[in-house]
Amino acid sequence: MITKSGSFGLLVLLLVWGIGAFTRDLPDPKRTPGVANPDVTQDNIHQTICVSGWTKTIRPPTKYTNDLKVQQIKEYGYKDKKTSSYEEDHLISLQLGGHPTDAKNLWPQPYNQQCGARIKDVVETRLKRLVCDGKVALAEAQKSIATNWVAAYKKYVNKEGCPVLEHEQ
């Protein structure tokens, strides 16, 4: 029999465990809240993000993102220090009008987890299509991905959530 105080303790434990398991997929909102590119607006999306190849024109140099990745892996306190385990990810992706070089829009996103970097790429592309087709406003897409990209994945890609990693099947 679980007492009231025992059930409360169990509830707290489950909440803490659930939050910890969930938040590892998301960047620290204080370090990486997401920053939009002020040069991209709803009015000019067909001259910017909706133009094929446009992101190549604003992508920061690899040296910049690699140096930032090393620094941020330390700041995030990741145990795995191998840079190849991470993508230096734009929280608000370039294809959704994210700021290309602001460190508050970049974070070392792990590859090897259920809701990892390659999965986030899927929702970024889906949202870009929806924005360019006029089905979702740019600001809504940016807010959705910056606030909780996993929830955006569930809303716009697969309501069941991120797919299970191959080695976990």
Side-chain angles (χ1 to χ4, degrees), residues 33-34 37 45-46 57 64-65 73 79 87 91 98 138 141 147 161:
N37 183 342
I45 60 171
H46 295 290
T57 68
Y64 173 78
T65 55
I73 287 171
K79 290 178 185 173
E87 172 183 314
L91 180 57
L138 177 64
T147 304

Side-chain angles (χ1 to χ4, degrees), residues 2 5 13 35 51 60 64 72 79-82 99 128 134 147 155 165-166 169:
I2 297 176
S5 63
L13 179 63
V35 178
V51 173
Y64 173 78
Q72 289 181 331
K79 290 178 185 173
D80 180 356
K81 304 293 186 208
K82 291 183 294 199
H99 198 288
K128 177 194 170 190
T147 304
K155 180 176 181 179
L165 293 173
E166 259 184 47
Q169 293 179 357

Side-chain angles (χ1 to χ4, degrees), residues 49 59 87-97 105 107 109 116-132 141 145 149 152-153 156-157:
I49 67 169
R59 187 168 303 282
E87 172 183 314
E88 189 64 10
D89 184 64
H90 289 89
L91 180 57
I92 301 174
S93 66
L94 297 179
Q95 63 181 333
L96 289 174
N105 193 45
W107 65 298
Q109 184 181 23
R118 290 181 182 91
I119 301 305
K120 183 173 175 280
D121 292 344
V122 174
V123 72
E124 292 169 353
T125 301
R126 174 72 50 87
L127 281 169
K128 177 194 170 190
R129 283 192 204 123
L130 291 170
V131 168
C132 293
I145 205 148
W149 78 264
Y153 183 90
Y156 296 105
V157 177

